Amino acid sequence: MNWSNLLLQFFLCYVSTVCFGILLNIPKRAYHTAGMIGGGVWVVYWIMYYCSGIGLAFSNLVAAILISVLSQAAARRKRMPIIVFNVPALVPFVPGGQAYKMVRNFAIGNYHLVTVYFYQVVVIVGAITLGFGLGELLNRVLNYLHKYLLKKSRWNF
């Protein structure tokens, strides 16, 4: 694991997240936060998938959960909708390269590679969808526990 490579990965993902946020016309005060979420989660994904050898599905699942949880926290802190942070941070994880290779190999007639890339696209999209759902569930459970523990404690803070 090369630290300069991780820093470069973070920076490029930060820039791509902010640029996509600009294309989506999110508020300017959300650029930095969305970029930090996108870059930070990408570094976690990069370490899990490329450095640790953890599988594609689990790496994308953890990344989607982190995006969901961090976006929820940022949305509460900045008093903005969660989608302002979710969508730009999700951009680096979209399997556009695999989808392009799938269509290209389909046009060429190389059907074995079409099934390989189709499988990758389905796994990545499924992991992202499941991760967003689990992240939302985790946010609701933590919120409920926080309210429940505050209500049941002797000392209300």
Side-chain angles (χ1 to χ4, degrees):
M1 181 171 64
N2 188 355
W3 288 103
S4 61
N5 185 21
L6 280 180
L7 188 61
L8 179 66
Q9 291 288 328
F10 174 80
F11 176 72
L12 292 176
C13 190
Y14 177 90
V15 169
S16 69
T17 302
V18 170
C19 288
F20 198 77
I22 291 170
L23 286 174
L24 290 177
N25 201 20
I26 66 173
K28 290 182 182 176
R29 61 188 177 107
Y31 290 165
H32 179 66
T33 307
M36 292 298 286
I37 292 171
V41 171
W42 179 260
V43 168
V44 171
Y45 167 79
W46 185 267
I47 290 171
M48 287 179 68
Y49 185 63
Y50 291 104
C51 298
S52 299
I54 297 174
L56 181 68
F58 190 70
S59 299
N60 278 290
L61 178 70
V62 170
I65 291 171
L66 283 174
I67 288 173
S68 180
V69 169
L70 293 174
S71 295
Q72 181 76 25
R76 283 194 180 135
R77 181 149 173 88
K78 296 273 189 178
R79 298 180 192 269
M80 299 174 133
I82 191 172
I83 199 164
V84 168
F85 303 103
N86 260 350
V87 175
L90 178 68
V91 168
F93 298 99
V94 173
Q98 287 93 341
Y100 167 76
K101 290 176 186 176
M102 180 185 70
V103 172
R104 181 175 174 265
N105 283 304
F106 183 76
I108 292 172
N110 197 352
Y111 299 114
H112 174 70
L113 285 177
V114 170
T115 58
V116 170
Y117 289 122
F118 180 72
Y119 174 73
Q120 287 181 358
V121 168
V122 168
V123 164
I124 292 170
V125 169
I128 289 171
T129 305
L130 184 63
F132 273 6
L134 289 175
E136 183 64 29
L137 177 68
L138 183 63
N139 279 327
R140 288 183 186 215
V141 166
L142 291 176
N143 218 5
Y144 175 77
L145 285 176
H146 179 70
K147 288 180 183 178
Y148 178 76
L149 291 175
L150 278 178
K151 189 188 301 183
K152 293 294 181 183
S153 74
R154 283 193 253 165
W155 303 285
N156 288 329
F157 295 106

